[in-house]
Amino acid sequence: MHQTTSLFLDTLRFTAAMTVLLHHLTGQTFNSSFSPVPWGREAVIAFFVISGFVIAYVLDSRERDLKIYVSARLGRLYSVILPALFITPLLDHFGRQAAPELYSEIVADHVVLRILINLANLQESWNLTTAPLSNGPFWSLAFESVLKNLTS
């Protein structure tokens, strides 16, 4: 892939990711001052489509060996999964003390089991939806893993 094309796709993915972030931050839960940022759902779809294209290209051009693909894929996934699953319970602990009303709707039972299910990337399996505490957007990692594996 030409460097200009790669930079363009990375810029699009970054823009989509920032749109999703701003969409969540300007939602009614955390915000009473700013107008909500629209297009959050569309940005998620754009991010997934571009990511699928990039992964398909990488598989076709660089990661042709199964061992190389699996180690690179797990490295990319767990570089996000591990910090997220470590930081979420920590931030939730302080968040529940600072603003308990924000956490009134968030399920907090079976913390260790929730973390283990998400660590195994099974948070969206069959009819099971297991959010890692308040980290609702974490669901997308399971879908991204499946999407990227289907494109290979």
Side-chain angles (χ1 to χ4, degrees), residues 129-140:
T129 297
T130 309
L133 307 172
S134 70
N135 195 343
F138 194 84
W139 68 267
S140 65

Side-chain angles (χ1 to χ4, degrees), residues 12-27 36-48 137 139-140:
L12 283 178
R13 283 192 331 163
F14 178 79
T15 302
M18 290 301 104
T19 301
V20 172
L21 175 67
L22 290 174
H23 177 76
H24 285 292
L25 289 176
T26 60
V37 171
W39 311 303
R41 182 177 300 254
E42 293 82 359
V44 168
I45 293 168
F47 184 87
F48 281 178
W139 68 267
S140 65

Side-chain angles (χ1 to χ4, degrees), residues 5 14 17-18 22 32 34 37 43 45 56 66 68 94 107 110 144:
T5 305
F14 178 79
M18 290 301 104
L22 290 174
S32 61
F34 300 103
V37 171
I45 293 168
L66 181 63
I68 293 170
F94 293 112
V107 180
H110 310 291
E144 232 183 299

Side-chain angles (χ1 to χ4, degrees), residues 42-62:
E42 293 82 359
V44 168
I45 293 168
F47 184 87
F48 281 178
V49 169
I50 295 166
S51 294
F53 174 78
V54 170
I55 291 299
Y57 175 80
V58 168
L59 286 173
D60 190 47
S61 63
R62 288 189 293 189

Side-chain angles (χ1 to χ4, degrees), residues 3-109:
Q3 187 175 2
T4 305
T5 305
S6 178
L7 181 60
F8 175 72
L9 292 174
D10 284 345
T11 302
L12 283 178
R13 283 192 331 163
F14 178 79
T15 302
M18 290 301 104
T19 301
V20 172
L21 175 67
L22 290 174
H23 177 76
H24 285 292
L25 289 176
T26 60
Q28 292 179 355
T29 304
F30 300 110
N31 172 43
S32 61
S33 304
F34 300 103
S35 297
V37 171
W39 311 303
R41 182 177 300 254
E42 293 82 359
V44 168
I45 293 168
F47 184 87
F48 281 178
V49 169
I50 295 166
S51 294
F53 174 78
V54 170
I55 291 299
Y57 175 80
V58 168
L59 286 173
D60 190 47
S61 63
R62 288 189 293 189
E63 295 175 2
R64 292 177 170 251
D65 179 73
L66 181 63
K67 188 176 179 181
I68 293 170
Y69 168 74
V70 169
S71 66
R73 184 76 193 118
L74 291 176
R76 285 190 294 267
L77 277 173
Y78 281 91
S79 70
V80 174
I81 289 172
L82 292 176
L85 292 179
F86 174 76
I87 293 170
T88 298
L90 185 66
L91 292 177
D92 279 1
H93 172 75
F94 293 112
R96 284 186 188 282
Q97 293 175 353
E101 66 281 355
L102 289 177
Y103 288 85
S104 63
E105 301 285 322
I106 296 171
V107 180
D109 61 341

